[in-house]
Amino acid sequence: MGEPIAASTLGYVTDLVDSFALEREPNKHLYRLLRATVGAIADQPSRETRARYFEAWLLRLAGSYPRRKSCPVCSRLLADEGARYLASEQRLECQRCLGSGVSLSSPSVRFLEAIWRQPPDGLAPPEARGVLRELGAFHDRLIQEQLDKDLKSRRVFDDMLREGEDL
Ligand SMILES: [Zn+2]
């Protein structure tokens, strides 16, 4: 595990906190989350998993994570059907009802449910391939909607991951 990837993770996480704190009152939940995540980033091998965890909770604390267990159109469970993001309504629908949009496969929806249940240091990396990538694309979309810009540190982080040091 190289130092560059730890540094780029911390850079990205710090940038996120900065950007979100500018828009909203900093709150104690955010700083508790930051402390817990930074601790876990130092300890744990899968930094991409921690980064996805952090993004999810940051967006949720900012009140902008579209969460639901079942499809609003057909009531099927998203964990069974997989989900897609309907950006115009800022909500999730199941993959039977919605044919396009950022996709979260069934394993990704299940992993997300684990994120809501677990502290960062109790979360094992997902078994299914592609889960972290799907969640990353979804979070990227939500962060851009929130901040109206790309974070450079996110690109640096992604580049580091692509160099194959972590998963
Ligand atoms: Zn549906």
Side-chain angles (χ1 to χ4, degrees):
M1 197 60 54
E3 286 307 307
I5 199 157
S8 71
T9 311
L10 287 177
Y12 171 51
V13 162
T14 307
D15 217 6
L16 272 178
V17 170
D18 257 8
S19 304
F20 274 80
L22 279 177
E23 319 237 315
R24 283 153 230 283
E25 287 291 294
N27 65 60
K28 65 174 189 288
H29 295 294
L30 181 58
Y31 289 107
R32 200 179 302 146
L33 171 65
L34 180 60
R35 240 189 346 261
T37 309
V38 168
I41 285 169
D43 294 343
Q44 297 285 327
S46 178
R47 297 197 165 88
E48 191 176 10
T49 302
R50 310 305 134 188
R52 298 293 91 93
Y53 181 97
F54 183 79
E55 291 162 348
W57 273 101
L58 182 70
L59 287 159
R60 180 169 166 180
L61 289 172
S64 54
Y65 209 104
R67 291 200 304 142
R68 51 167 70 241
K69 283 196 178 304
S70 57
C71 175
V73 180
C74 70
S75 300
R76 288 189 175 89
L77 286 176
L78 298 180
D80 293 338
E81 301 296 331
R84 282 201 180 89
Y85 181 54
L86 183 57
S88 59
E89 304 283 330
Q90 298 190 314
R91 72 181 190 191
L92 296 172
E93 293 184 6
C94 84
Q95 295 198 354
R96 289 186 192 220
C97 294
L98 192 61
S100 65
V102 179
S103 163
L104 294 176
S105 61
S106 165
S108 292
V109 175
R110 290 175 200 277
F111 189 67
L112 203 44
E113 288 174 357
I115 286 178
W116 304 136
R117 281 196 307 269
Q118 306 259 18
D121 55 358
L123 188 69
E127 284 170 23
R129 291 176 67 83
V131 164
L132 294 174
R133 200 186 54 234
E134 279 189 356
L135 280 179
F138 182 44
H139 292 169
D140 210 20
R141 175 68 195 249
L142 296 176
I143 288 165
Q144 281 179 34
E145 280 178 9
Q146 277 295 302
L147 301 179
D148 228 11
K149 65 173 183 183
D150 273 330
L151 292 177
K152 275 205 192 78
S153 56
R154 166 63 181 261
R155 306 294 148 218
V156 174
F157 177 58
D158 285 347
D159 289 347
M160 287 289 171
L161 288 175
R162 253 196 303 279
E163 282 172 23
E165 292 195 51
D166 199 359
L167 245 186

